[in-house]
Amino acid sequence: MPESELHDNSPTESINVDININQQESTRLLPPSDEDDEEVAFESREKISIRYFETEDENAFIDTAPPFSWRKLWLFTGPGFLMSIAFLDPGNLEGDLQAGAIAGYSLLWLLMWATAMGLLIQLLSARVGVVTGRHLAELCRDEYPSWARYLLWCMAELALIGADIQEVIGSAIAIQILSNGVLPLWAGVVITASDCFIFLFLENYGVRKLEAIFAVLIGTMGLSFAWMFADAKPNMRELVIGVLVPKLSSRTIRQAVGVVGCVIMPHNVFLHSALVQSRKVDHSQKGRVQEAINYYTIESSFALLVSFIINLFVTTVFAKGFYGTKLAEGIGLVNAGQYLEEKYGGGLLPILYIWGIGLLAAGQSSTITGTYAGQFIMGGFLNLRLKKWMRALITRSFAIVPTMIVALIFNTSEASLDVLNEWLNVLQSMQIPFALIPLLTLVAKEQVMGVFKISNTLERVAWTVAGLVMVINAYLLLDFFMSEVNGLVLGLVVCFGVAAYASFIIYLISHSGALQHLCSFIASKKPFINPPSG
């Protein structure tokens, strides 16, 4: 080729070369996933296309996020609301009603900040899913050695089973209320188990159809608990003070711990990183990836604002009705409807049935997302390429069999069900580090996130939040075991289990490099001391 041709490039050719270089660089920094070799959250044909509008050139390289568009926000809306269901499940509702009955309005500020902490964790989960095109369970499969990966999978499944038992039991209690006691608890469990598959079948008609079902269920919860809120007529001045003024006493510390512990659900951290992949994002375009992160941030923030308002409704209803009464200590999910009926009476629509409708919507929606999360967790950790109905059946069986046993054993004992709920809350609290630590490890890793790794400041904030949540849950575990564990043999077994548990957490933290970063940060802040003279 003549030398003149080598140097005589047209402007168009130069632009194309720059675009190709930029695309190669972006691809290098944002590793693509291989759908042919790995289990994926959504096949390409299932994903929703994000249409580019007339002001955008679909073929141009986008280095920064395009301007905000309401139409695009609508296309990205959905995953955040499915994620927010975990903040509204029956376990959370029980924590709300107990906090309101025992602590009154005083813990509303903690509910608000706990929701904000949960939002931070969920945004990091969404960021990992958007940037890598893979969900957290898949990334853990590559990040950790086989023994650690299988142990993490077991921990995630245990957390999921514990959450699912609460969700299914909550839904079964609602069915029992709405049927006037005709259907026993075990029948409600069977109904919940079967209709879960009916809802998941709707996914065959498109992701948006399933998201619409969840929108209806969240709307049902919102209307039901708003109706209860209007009936109860809580003190608005005390409500505002409770939200804005931090207040904590030794008498309400257990409820405070429960409020924070219920917000971050281990399986939900895995779920959100998978749900965001239901939209097609061009990973070779840095601007498109940033655009998706921006829209998911807006959508998730609004979804959790809605969940906070619904939780606030529940807490304030029980604060108004039962705070300072003899009934406060004995209220649980099983008898809450009866207590509400005795306190507020019938009205146009008896409050017992309003509570039952809201609880049913919470139980149904959370058990569906639990099954959804189970599919992603099992498929991601084990790289199983099974049909979705098969994965749903396996995941559902893990939870339904123990739930049915629980329903048959505890069908006539409200006190036993409350004790069971405490044990299940402890089980889920124990699993939180095994979702948070891998997430924070990966989201700060340049080899995984490329140019989208979080900043050092955000990393410190995230580890602070994670540390706070883990310390709070450690307090819950310590308090629980000190009150429940008796006898030398059982004490030794618990001590051995705690040692193994702590060792695995220390391994995960050391693997993340957080300890080295902390030591470096402390060393950089240490003042220089002049050596003594002479």
Side-chain angles (χ1 to χ4, degrees):
M1 182 182 293
E3 187 175 351
S4 60
E5 289 187 26
L6 288 172
H7 298 283
D8 188 19
N9 293 329
S10 67
T12 303
E13 290 173 338
S14 299
I15 292 171
N16 289 335
V17 169
D18 289 340
I19 290 173
N20 289 334
I21 291 172
N22 286 333
Q23 287 176 330
Q24 290 170 6
E25 179 68 10
S26 180
T27 303
R28 183 182 68 81
L29 293 175
L30 305 174
S33 61
D34 189 349
E35 287 189 8
D36 294 333
D37 298 332
E38 294 186 344
E39 190 275 341
V40 291
F42 297 90
E43 302 290 344
S44 294
R45 58 183 172 78
E46 298 174 315
K47 294 186 179 184
I48 297 169
S49 295
I50 304 300
R51 296 189 298 275
Y52 301 117
F53 302 115
E54 53 276 357
T55 57
E56 301 176 39
D57 182 358
E58 209 170 325
N59 298 315
F61 179 78
I62 307 297
D63 190 53
T64 58
F68 176 80
S69 164
W70 286 105
R71 287 184 291 176
K72 276 194 183 178
L73 177 60
W74 172 248
L75 292 175
F76 278 103
T77 296
F81 282 90
L82 268 69
M83 169 274 295
S84 72
I85 294 297
F87 290 71
L88 297 167
D89 70 356
N92 275 279
L93 297 183
E94 182 164 37
D96 293 338
L97 66 89
Q98 289 176 345
I102 296 172
Y105 301 92
S106 65
L107 294 182
L108 292 178
W109 67 274
L110 190 58
L111 175 63
M112 180 181 69
W113 284 106
T115 304
M117 289 192 296
L119 174 61
L120 173 62
I121 297 301
Q122 295 302 149
L123 291 181
L124 295 180
S125 175
R127 188 183 190 91
V128 165
V130 169
V131 171
T132 64
R134 306 171 74 201
H135 57 81
L136 185 58
E138 291 177 295
L139 294 168
C140 287
R141 188 178 70 232
D142 294 339
E143 178 69 18
Y144 296 100
S146 296
W147 69 270
R149 180 192 359 138
Y150 287 121
L151 198 50
L152 283 172
W153 172 61
C154 290
M155 295 297 109
E157 290 290 353
L158 280 174
L160 184 60
I161 290 170
D164 215 6
I165 290 175
Q166 286 182 312
E167 292 156 1
V168 173
I169 291 293
S171 191
I173 291 170
I175 291 172
Q176 192 175 46
I177 290 172
L178 295 174
S179 67
N180 282 323
V182 173
L183 294 174
L185 210 58
W186 66 264
V189 171
V190 172
I191 293 170
T192 303
S194 58
D195 64 17
C196 176
F197 288 103
I198 295 172
F199 282 120
L200 287 173
F201 179 73
L202 294 173
E203 189 186 5
N204 294 326
Y205 294 95
V207 174
R208 294 295 266 182
K209 302 291 191 304
L210 188 63
E211 291 172 350
I213 293 294
F214 279 95
V216 171
L217 291 172
I218 292 173
T220 302
M221 276 185 273
L223 288 173
S224 298
F225 298 134
W227 190 316
M228 288 171 50
F229 182 82
D231 272 357
K233 299 181 178 64
N235 188 314
M236 297 304 295
R237 180 176 176 275
E238 290 185 27
L239 188 155
V240 173
I241 292 173
V243 171
L244 299 179
V245 180
K247 190 186 301 182
L248 190 63
S249 68
S250 57
R251 194 173 62 86
T252 60
I253 191 134
R254 190 181 182 93
Q255 283 68 43
V257 170
V259 167
V260 177
C262 286
V263 165
I264 298 178
M265 307 289 282
H267 71 274
N268 206 41
V269 178
F270 289 96
L271 175 65
H272 200 192
S273 64
L275 291 174
V276 295
Q277 294 173 49
S278 59
R279 272 61 174 174
K280 287 183 179 178
V281 176
D282 186 353
H283 289 88
S284 67
Q285 303 267 30
K286 179 181 174 183
R288 298 297 181 198
V289 175
Q290 185 61 58
E291 177 185 50
I293 292 172
N294 294 346
Y295 283 120
Y296 282 132
T297 299
I298 297 170
E299 183 236 8
S300 298
S301 300
F302 181 72
L304 288 195
L305 174 62
V306 172
S307 76
F308 167 70
I309 293 171
I310 292 174
N311 283 315
L312 182 142
F313 285 160
V314 176
T315 304
T316 52
V317 165
F318 284 87
K320 172 65 187 301
F322 305 101
Y323 176 58
T325 68
K326 294 180 181 179
L327 299 174
E329 296 288 343
I331 294 180
L333 204 61
V334 180
N335 57 23
Q338 298 169 357
Y339 284 1
L340 285 170
E341 186 72 8
E342 292 170 6
K343 180 68 179 180
Y344 296 108
L348 180 63
L349 180 62
I351 197 168
L352 172 66
Y353 297 117
I354 299 172
W355 167 253
I357 291 168
L359 182 59
L360 181 62
Q364 291 289 350
S365 55
S366 57
T367 195
I368 297 169
T369 54
T371 302
Y372 225 28
Q375 296 180 43
F376 297 132
I377 289 170
M378 177 180 288
F381 275 111
L382 305 183
N383 197 22
L384 295 178
R385 291 190 61 82
L386 298 174
K387 292 184 177 180
K388 286 193 174 182
W389 69 267
M390 179 64 73
R391 278 188 292 169
L393 180 62
I394 295 172
T395 304
R396 211 79 201 97
S397 299
F398 280 167
I400 288 301
V401 172
T403 304
M404 185 63 73
I405 294 171
V406 166
L408 291 172
I409 293 175
F410 297 105
N411 188 40
T412 58
S413 175
E414 294 179 5
S416 298
L417 268 177
D418 288 337
V419 171
L420 174 68
N421 269 325
E422 284 191 28
W423 277 96
L424 292 175
N425 286 334
V426 168
L427 174 65
Q428 291 173 78
S429 297
M430 291 178 66
Q431 311 310 319
I432 286 176
F434 307 124
L436 288 189
I437 297 174
L439 172 66
L440 299 186
T441 299
L442 291 163
V443 79
K445 200 167 186 178
E446 188 171 356
Q447 297 94 315
V448 175
M449 299 293 290
V451 296
F452 291 99
K453 71 179 285 289
I454 59 175
S455 65
N456 291 335
T457 302
L458 183 55
E459 184 180 2
R460 292 189 194 107
V461 171
W463 275 105
T464 302
V465 169
L468 180 62
V469 171
M470 286 188 281
V471 167
I472 287 173
N473 282 282
Y475 172 86
L476 176 66
L477 295 176
L478 181 63
D479 178 67
F480 182 79
F481 283 123
M482 286 183 67
S483 62
E484 297 291 333
V485 175
N486 297 304
L488 179 62
V489 176
L490 186 57
L492 289 174
V493 170
V494 169
C495 287
F496 177 78
V498 168
Y501 174 80
S503 298
F504 190 39
I505 291 177
I506 292 170
Y507 164 77
L508 292 175
I509 293 175
S510 63
H511 181 88
S512 71
L515 290 177
Q516 295 91 317
H517 292 163
L518 178 62
C519 292
S520 300
F521 177 71
I522 293 173
S524 67
K525 299 296 180 182
K526 185 176 181 180
F528 178 74
I529 301 175
N530 290 321
S533 60

